[in-house]
Amino acid sequence: QVQLVESGGGLVQAGGSLRLSCAASGRTASIYAMGWFRQAPGKEREFVARIRWTSGSTSYTDSVKGRFTISRDNAKNTVYLQMDSLKPEDTAVYYCNRYPSRANYWGQGTQVTVSS
């Protein structure tokens, strides 16, 4: 059983920054990559970024490239998402999961709201 807990969301003005954290616990040994996903109101959940535990190799969706940075602390079993130059369209509930995602890994997420 794997447990993922997201934190760090909040309300921020456009152009501001937030740093999200995803703490993993449980049977995580078989997880080789982690990702951040988001779901905006009335929209489907979408991929945002992913990172491989061993190599640190990263990948991003085009809309956040150059603004968001995914990182990880292997010792703490934690994945981060540094979000800079936030835009109102970034408003969503942000979730972490293994990558590729698995349905039973979704947690409650953390709300990010960006005001104009």
Side-chain angles (χ1 to χ4, degrees):
Q1 184 173 333
V2 174
Q3 293 182 359
L4 302 173
V5 180
E6 303 94 340
S7 62
L11 175 63
V12 65
Q13 292 185 340
S17 298
L18 285 173
R19 179 177 167 90
L20 308 183
S21 297
C22 172
S25 62
R27 299 179 180 180
T28 61
S30 63
I31 302 176
Y32 300 113
M34 291 288 292
W36 282 97
F37 306 79
R38 66 187 181 187
Q39 186 167 22
K43 297 183 178 180
E44 298 290 325
R45 183 153 48 204
E46 66 172 341
F47 163 79
V48 176
R50 73 108 176 97
I51 187 168
R52 294 177 180 172
W53 281 111
T54 55
S55 70
S57 177
T58 61
S59 184
Y60 302 87
T61 192
D62 287 344
S63 63
V64 308
K65 228 165 192 176
R67 300 188 298 119
F68 291 10
T69 304
I70 187 170
S71 62
R72 90 293 197 210
D73 185 333
N74 291 349
K76 296 173 67 176
N77 243 16
T78 300
V79 179
Y80 305 95
L81 186 67
Q82 177 67 44
M83 305 185 296
D84 299 318
S85 301
L86 282 162
K87 304 175 180 179
E89 49 263 47
D90 295 318
T91 295
V93 177
Y94 284 70
Y95 303 87
C96 63
N97 204 316
R98 62 175 294 154
Y99 188 92
S101 64
R102 290 187 178 178
N104 60 330
Y105 280 37
W106 298 115
Q108 294 299 306
T110 185
Q111 176 71 50
V112 172
T113 303
V114 184
S115 62
S116 301

